[in-house]
Amino acid sequence: DVKVTQSSRYLVKRTGEKVFLECVQDMDHENMFWYRQDPGLGLRLIYFSYDVKMKEKGDIPEGYSVSREKKERFSLILESASTNQTSMYLCASSLYWQRGNEQFFGPGTRLTVL
Amino acid sequence: GESVGLHLPTLSVQEGDNSIINCAYSNSASDYFIWYKQESGKGPQFIIDIRSNMDKRQGQRVTVLLNKTVKHLSLQIAATQPGDSAVYFCAEPWMDSSYKLIFGSGTRLLVRP
């Protein structure tokens, strides 16, 4: 079974702090994704990576950056956390070659910015 | 658990009854659809998918129906159990990318004992 793990289940940070959210998948998937999930808004794509060192912006990239130095690891970075970035963050991965392929999700990180 | 889906439509069913969750999609050219289930405190999990060349696909206790004429998907759960209580999302590929998915806002299913 595919396993997608996220470094923390819960994080509390202060406004202005730099925040790193880590995601690791163990099935050699090429694609990796970062979403945020907010009540009433569903899942919104922040960034997407289809290969090592490659990235694409999603719906809401402002205030975020990402890093993909190794195939299995995709990091989401909040350079200067703000209270409106309080949210549930979900990482996902999928195979490159299959159109419309299923995404496998991690358990999520609940980030609170005070 | 997290406060996912405070404003979600909610379907409440009696244990043992069948559940039908609906989803309208926007892109008539979409050729692939997925249903996800998200339990409290967990990430979404794949339930079943369907390609646009099919009208119906069945899994274990679940059936997905696709009506391309009215751009509508439904997820039917037979003999609903307490463990089925969750938020259910449909998803379709982005128009400009095969690999990215657009998720619906979700429906919360509550199973009454």
Side-chain angles (χ1 to χ4, degrees), chain A residues 9-10 31 33 35 37 39-43 45 48 56-59 88 90 94-108 110, chain B residues 1-8 29-32 34 36 38 41-46 49 51 89 93-95 97-101 103-105:
Chain A
R9 292 301 305 274
Y10 300 93
N31 300 334
F33 307 82
Y35 295 89
Q37 185 175 34
L41 297 177
L43 278 78
L45 182 65
F48 156 60
E56 281 188 19
K57 294 179 180 178
D59 277 337
M88 169 67 78
L90 290 161
S94 68
L95 283 167
Y96 176 79
W97 55 270
Q98 187 178 356
R99 176 175 168 77
N101 45 351
E102 173 192 350
Q103 293 180 15
F104 297 86
F105 284 85
R110 167 65 68 185
Chain B
E2 73 274 14
S3 56
V4 170
L6 282 178
H7 310 291
L8 289 178
S30 288
D31 60 356
Y32 181 72
I34 308 176
Y36 283 90
Q38 186 174 23
K42 297 183 179 179
Q45 289 182 290
F46 172 90
D49 59 5
R51 298 205 176 267
F89 298 93
W94 281 40
M95 292 179 67
S97 169
S98 305
Y99 312 111
K100 295 185 281 188
L101 295 174
F103 291 84
S105 56

Side-chain angles (χ1 to χ4, degrees), chain A residues 60-113:
Chain A
I60 50 164
E62 294 78 20
Y64 303 95
S65 62
V66 290
S67 173
R68 183 106 180 261
E69 296 297 319
K70 292 185 178 180
K71 190 175 185 180
E72 67 271 17
R73 189 179 298 269
F74 192 34
S75 302
L76 180 69
I77 303 153
L78 287 65
E79 293 290 341
S80 179
S82 63
T83 54
N84 63 12
Q85 292 178 309
T86 292
S87 187
M88 169 67 78
Y89 289 88
L90 290 161
C91 175
S93 72
S94 68
L95 283 167
Y96 176 79
W97 55 270
Q98 187 178 356
R99 176 175 168 77
N101 45 351
E102 173 192 350
Q103 293 180 15
F104 297 86
F105 284 85
T109 296
R110 167 65 68 185
L111 173 65
T112 302
V113 182

Side-chain angles (χ1 to χ4, degrees), chain B residues 13-45:
Chain B
V13 299
Q14 191 73 37
E15 182 178 354
D17 286 353
N18 296 334
S19 304
I20 300 176
I21 299 170
N22 297 305
C23 178
Y25 63 93
S26 53
N27 180 13
S28 56
S30 288
D31 60 356
Y32 181 72
F33 304 90
I34 308 176
W35 279 99
Y36 283 90
K37 171 186 180 183
Q38 186 174 23
E39 296 175 87
S40 182
K42 297 183 179 179
Q45 289 182 290

